[in-house]
Amino acid sequence: MNLALRWRIVLLGLAFTAAPAFAAGATAAPATTQPAAAPLAQRPGHAAIASANFLATNAGFEVLAKGGNAFDAAVAVASTLSVVEPESSGIGGGFMATLHVAKTNRDVFLDARETAPAAVNPKDYLNPDGTPNRDAALKGPLSAGIPGEPAGLVWLAKHYGRLPLKDSLAPAIRIARDGFKPDPRLLASIKGEQKDLERWPASAAKFLPGGKPPAAGAVWRDPNQARTWERVAEKGDAGFYQGETARKLVAAVRAAGGNWTLADLAGYRAKERQPIVIDYRGYRIVTAPPPSSGGVAMAEIFNILSGFDLSKMDQAHRVHTIVEAMRRAFRDHNDYLGDPDFVKMPLAMLLSPYYADGLRQSILPDRATPSSMLPHGPAHDPGMHTTHFSIIDKDGNMVAITSTVNYILGSTFVAGDTGVLLNDEMDDFALVPNKPNVYGLLGSKANAPEGGKRMLSSMSPSIVIGPERTAVIGSPGGSTIITQVMEGILHFVEGQSAQQIVSDKRFHHQFLPDVVDVEDGVFDAATSAELKRMGYTLKPREPWGFMNVVTWDRRTNTLDAASDPRRPSGLGKVQ
Ligand code: DON
């Protein structure tokens, strides 16, 4: 029997045999116990948007002012981010969205994740000596999945928006055509990736005008991307997945050694899925199902935590408890999760409170549990790319979208004169079994590459509906997305404001490597010493994340919007 499986059975066994030492906590009272004095607001009456770039936030408000709703605004924000924040997300990437439709009180999950091309061949990601070829996984056309972003935005506009697509795409098209001043983060990304951008003439033509990164303060234009968005505005899906754009994409990818076909593009579909719903202390958390690992991992973490009273713990024991919950969730992430259209996952077990009861029993009160049942993977530093935005409109429609081209500037490969920068999402597959991807994540067969399959994601766009307050939340950060969003939700449940939530210092654990990543200042000296005594290895790490949160206090009917202070280009605004 495999060791991990045996360990799991031991854990489950404990759940049913050991005294339920912590079980009382499972029925702990909700954090908010006072009934509201005044009736709760049913609609906000105005809107809030928080995104990673002020031009994108303003594009969203522009579309709301034209009579659009949160879903039209989301199309405007996402397409504008494709132009002004291409290092993080865009037309050649994919996204995941959690939506709340106020009129029907319905929660929806929209999966616009990339897929592997039919001709995907795992051997392409190995060197002749059998070692992983990290260049093929992360750069150039072999690293790119079939984009989902255009199909996702077309779907959003068609099924949930009020305005024609061309109105919602207008700000992005205008900004791409007329130009804008790139922010320091984009300039630094282009400088950092210059060598790879120079490998492909169309990438150099787009990002290195005159052979150099754009100068600080200079206006930068992307007329090719404007034209591609215009075709989408005019023809919908067919403007990207068929006809001129599709032909150009396939020709460019194949000429550079890739294997896309017209059929891969024509066959791409955005998919609606049932979101994962977690009940934590009276708060309903609506979040991402597979092919994101976020919702399942957060459900495990919150189910484990619901048996503890964190408010009664000192900081070291609180962190210990949360990290042990993270450890158990990420172990299962590595073992089980993948694209639901391709793999059978034991979701009923993973999401079950009884399973969490078992995992909870295995947490020692003041000692770390080593992750050493599985081989170790080396630590990796996730770059801060990918983007998240949150919107709530005057009627209470809500959108949480996390969108990505994966690593900094994706594959760095621009396809011909389409202006489309392709993603490098193929690295989110377990391309080589038990070898870490760029986020240090290991995967199993469940997440092995196959034609048409979606690679597992950590993206966790979430909507949290509490007894009196509501939040829309998410962040980039590779594998840390899950723990950031989970910590953000915890702080929201504990009463924090949007500003506090995005500013809070963070810690992260993902089973392997068996360390706790810590942001400077997250723990005081006594807590760090106590955690080390419990057996944790604390690993200092540069600040991570770019969280964008909006909240709605339904008691006072006030909206709040906040963008992560770690990245000054973001803008949270209420209007
Ligand atoms: O889908 C995923 O999980 C990754 N492609 C997200 C990448 C990411 O967040 C990079 N940012 N730091």
Side-chain angles (χ1 to χ4, degrees):
M1 188 192 300
N2 122 356
L3 270 176
L5 187 61
R6 189 176 327 146
W7 177 245
R8 195 162 303 119
I9 289 170
V10 170
L11 298 186
L12 280 169
L14 270 173
F16 300 111
T17 54
F22 300 100
T27 52
T32 312
T33 48
Q34 291 299 315
L40 296 174
Q42 299 299 312
R43 64 190 284 280
H46 52 312
I49 303 179
S51 91
N53 190 290
F54 69 96
L55 291 167
T57 298
N58 291 339
F61 279 110
E62 179 182 326
V63 161
L64 290 176
K66 276 192 205 154
N69 61 15
F71 310 110
D72 299 305
V75 174
V77 173
S79 52
T80 301
L81 287 171
S82 174
V83 176
V84 303
E85 200 203 23
E87 73 273 28
S88 297
S89 77
I91 187 167
F95 69 84
M96 291 183 163
T98 303
L99 316 174
H100 178 80
V101 186
K103 205 159 121 194
T104 51
N105 196 25
R106 195 163 77 93
D107 300 314
V108 180
F109 183 77
L110 179 59
D111 167 357
R113 180 70 162 164
E114 298 90 332
T115 54
V120 64
N121 183 351
K123 290 206 184 79
D124 287 340
Y125 304 95
L126 293 175
N127 293 312
D129 66 358
T131 55
N133 181 341
R134 303 297 299 142
D135 187 61
L138 287 168
K139 304 288 173 193
L142 281 174
S143 69
I146 305 300
E149 172 127 347
L153 296 184
V154 170
W155 182 280
L156 204 53
K158 185 166 153 198
H159 294 273
Y160 300 101
R162 267 199 218 129
L163 297 180
L165 196 54
K166 69 170 189 7
D167 288 358
S168 309
L169 291 175
I173 293 170
R174 187 185 65 232
I175 295 168
R177 199 192 315 109
D178 299 350
F180 66 99
K181 291 182 183 161
D183 69 12
R185 186 163 165 261
L186 173 53
L187 295 176
S189 301
I190 296 174
K191 273 203 188 90
E193 300 300 306
Q194 184 166 353
K195 287 228 143 34
D196 284 309
L197 293 167
E198 283 167 352
R199 292 162 69 181
W200 296 288
S203 307
K206 170 161 165 159
F207 290 106
L208 304 167
K212 289 194 306 275
V219 169
W220 185 58
R221 295 182 177 80
D222 192 353
N224 288 344
Q225 188 177 173
R227 276 190 287 276
T228 298
W229 278 123
E230 271 165 355
R231 287 193 287 275
V232 175
E234 203 183 307
K235 302 193 172 108
D237 279 332
F240 188 88
Y241 295 92
Q242 293 169 36
E244 181 183 346
T245 313
R247 280 196 302 276
K248 286 180 168 177
L249 289 171
V250 169
V253 161
R254 296 187 77 87
N259 52 17
W260 291 14
T261 63
L262 286 172
D264 286 327
L265 283 164
Y268 183 86
R269 296 284 176 275
K271 290 190 178 177
E272 285 201 4
R273 302 185 188 277
Q274 276 294 108
I276 296 237
V277 178
I278 307 162
D279 181 9
Y280 181 68
R281 296 185 167 242
Y283 283 70
R284 178 181 155 83
I285 302 167
V286 185
T287 186
S292 169
S293 54
V296 176
M298 281 200 283
E300 276 194 49
I301 295 171
F302 280 117
N303 283 343
I304 293 171
L305 294 183
S306 65
F308 294 101
D309 191 347
L310 295 176
S311 69
K312 297 226 159 64
M313 292 181 184
D314 62 38
Q315 202 194 5
H317 284 84
R318 175 185 163 99
V319 173
H320 161 62
T321 307
I322 295 172
V323 170
E324 290 306 318
M326 291 173 176
R327 184 195 307 280
R328 284 151 181 80
F330 272 96
R331 188 234 2 233
D332 290 343
H333 167 291
N334 296 359
D335 281 359
Y336 292 121
L337 301 181
D339 181 346
D341 295 341
F342 282 72
V343 285
K344 272 213 167 75
M345 288 168 277
L347 290 188
M349 174 184 96
L350 297 175
L351 298 173
S352 140
Y354 300 105
Y355 179 61
D357 286 346
L359 297 179
R360 193 181 312 119
Q361 301 294 330
S362 71
I363 299 177
L364 301 168
D366 56 5
R367 181 101 34 93
T369 312
S371 292
S372 52
M373 283 86 201
L374 288 175
H376 263 270
H380 280 255
D381 177 27
M384 286 310 126
H385 299 275
T386 297
T387 197
H388 173 87
F389 60 89
S390 297
I391 303 181
I392 178 163
D393 72 13
K394 62 183 174 18
D395 295 318
N397 295 306
M398 291 180 256
V399 179
I401 288 191
T402 312
S403 182
T404 187
V405 287
N406 196 25
Y407 213 61
I408 311 162
L409 285 170
S411 64
T412 65
F413 178 81
V414 173
D417 70 356
T418 61
V420 177
L421 171 69
L422 298 186
N423 66 83
D424 58 351
E425 225 74 62
M426 294 299 283
D427 188 57
D428 278 349
F429 277 121
L431 290 174
V432 185
N434 289 320
K435 294 287 182 202
N437 75 355
V438 74
Y439 308 110
L441 287 171
L442 302 167
S444 61
K445 224 172 148 243
N447 189 32
E450 285 178 63
K453 187 175 179 184
R454 284 154 146 91
M455 54 297 281
L456 190 63
S457 174
S458 302
M459 294 190 285
S460 311
S462 301
I463 293 173
V464 186
I465 302 172
E468 299 166 333
R469 296 166 71 229
T470 298
V472 186
I473 182 169
S475 179
S479 52
T480 71
I481 291 173
I482 298 170
T483 55
Q484 288 184 64
V485 174
M486 178 259 137
E487 287 166 48
I489 293 174
L490 192 59
H491 294 144
F492 176 69
V493 170
E494 290 168 344
Q496 288 195 8
S497 68
Q499 273 75 14
Q500 285 171 310
I501 293 166
V502 297
S503 313
D504 284 325
K505 301 284 185 184
R506 294 164 188 155
F507 59 93
H508 169 74
H509 173 75
Q510 62 180 43
F511 187 60
L512 290 173
D514 194 352
V515 297
V516 180
D517 291 329
V518 291
E519 190 174 0
D520 191 30
V522 63
F523 305 141
D524 58 23
T527 302
S528 299
E530 177 66 1
L531 287 167
K532 285 180 193 158
R533 194 196 60 70
M534 289 175 173
Y536 291 103
T537 304
L538 305 186
K539 187 164 167 257
R541 197 169 130 176
E542 292 295 304
W544 65 91
F546 197 162
M547 196 178 264
N548 284 292
V549 175
V550 302
T551 57
W552 175 24
D553 188 327
R554 308 197 310 277
R555 294 165 301 195
T556 53
N557 203 14
T558 39
L559 292 178
D560 213 349
S563 185
D564 204 313
R566 291 163 187 80
R567 311 278 167 176
S569 57
L571 176 63
K573 194 157 130 183
V574 177
Q575 192 164 290

